[in-house]
Amino acid sequence: HVVILDTNANIEYFRKTFHLYRKRFIRVLVGTDDAVMIPRPKNPREKKFIVEFHGKYIPVQGIEYIVKAADLLRSVHDINFVLVGDGQEYDKVHALAETLRLTNVSFVPIVPYDRLPDAIANADVCLGFAGNYDRGARAIPNKIYEASAMERASITMDGPGIRELYMDGENIRLCRGGDPGDIAEKILELKNNLNLRNSIAHAARRLYLQRATPHAIGKALQAELQ
């Protein structure tokens, strides 16, 4: 009777591709588990500025562009990129980091979901999608919801999907997909502007509580179905 998709941008894509009626679709935000993703302070023993990413290394995530951004920031000695996960393009990305002889990138094996907050809590900035695929532009990545729930500032590729919920400079920082230079620039901006970073993190947490908890999503879905 209805088809559920995560953004209006994806609804438009499927509607046009398969010539369907808009009324067949309901947008339901993905959100994340508020019993797991609970804000907590960064480990005080971690002195470096941590840029965190977690994912399954699928092409749409554009992790190679994150590594190239790390290469551009290699002279900023107190920044460290922590990439958590494994998957399809892991070998390719790891080989790129080795070829570039990067010492500011750490690869961490995939962790169970209930341990993922440890990595996010230790981050100063979290990354979403960095690629230049249309599919990525239509999405709001899971990792952005998770960073928001844990009150961390995040950066992800610009596109119609993310703009359905987030506002650049207010509760997120948007970058050009597939552009390591722009990704590096946005990371430096948040590193050098603590007030902006904290403001984005707090606003992202407020947005999550209003729109993307399981309760908020369930309430919105119930209203749509009724």
Side-chain angles (χ1 to χ4, degrees), residues 45-76:
R45 291 176 294 181
E46 178 57 74
K47 302 304 181 185
K48 289 201 171 185
F49 186 87
I50 301 299
V51 180
E52 183 268 352
F53 170 89
H54 59 271
K56 296 184 177 179
Y57 283 78
I58 57 176
V60 71
Q61 295 172 345
I63 310 172
E64 69 269 28
Y65 299 111
I66 296 174
V67 170
K68 290 176 181 177
D71 183 39
L72 294 174
L73 294 173
R74 66 196 306 157
S75 62
V76 186

Side-chain angles (χ1 to χ4, degrees), residues 160-177:
I162 194 72
R163 287 182 178 269
E164 290 178 28
L165 191 61
Y166 286 82
M167 186 175 295
D168 188 23
E170 180 176 314
N171 44 35
I172 201 164
R173 203 67 181 92
L174 300 179
C175 66
R176 291 189 295 273

Side-chain angles (χ1 to χ4, degrees), residues 48-144:
K48 289 201 171 185
F49 186 87
I50 301 299
V51 180
E52 183 268 352
F53 170 89
H54 59 271
K56 296 184 177 179
Y57 283 78
I58 57 176
V60 71
Q61 295 172 345
I63 310 172
E64 69 269 28
Y65 299 111
I66 296 174
V67 170
K68 290 176 181 177
D71 183 39
L72 294 174
L73 294 173
R74 66 196 306 157
S75 62
V76 186
H77 299 298
D78 59 341
I79 294 181
N80 193 46
F81 288 73
V82 176
L83 310 183
V84 181
D86 200 350
Q88 182 179 348
E89 294 202 319
Y90 176 84
D91 290 342
K92 168 188 167 183
V93 171
H94 193 271
L96 175 61
E98 287 194 332
T99 299
L100 294 172
R101 298 183 179 180
L102 297 180
T103 59
N104 60 346
V105 177
S106 301
F107 290 90
V108 178
I110 194 167
V111 298
Y113 183 72
D114 61 358
R115 285 180 49 204
L116 192 54
D118 295 339
I120 300 172
N122 208 38
D124 296 285
V125 169
C126 297
L127 299 181
F129 288 171
N132 53 5
Y133 286 85
D134 288 343
R135 176 186 163 196
R138 296 194 304 268
I140 303 174
N142 292 25
K143 51 196 106 288
I144 296 301

Side-chain angles (χ1 to χ4, degrees), residues 145-202:
Y145 287 113
E146 290 155 356
S148 297
M150 294 199 63
E151 207 163 8
R152 291 298 184 272
S154 53
I155 300 169
T156 196
M157 67 176 293
D158 198 355
I162 194 72
R163 287 182 178 269
E164 290 178 28
L165 191 61
Y166 286 82
M167 186 175 295
D168 188 23
E170 180 176 314
N171 44 35
I172 201 164
R173 203 67 181 92
L174 300 179
C175 66
R176 291 189 295 273
D179 186 339
D182 194 48
I183 297 166
E185 183 180 312
K186 298 300 164 42
I187 290 169
L188 272 183
E189 177 188 39
L190 293 180
K191 178 183 184 295
N192 295 331
N193 191 333
L194 178 61
N195 288 337
L196 177 63
R197 190 167 79 243
N198 286 341
S199 173
I200 287 175
H202 298 330

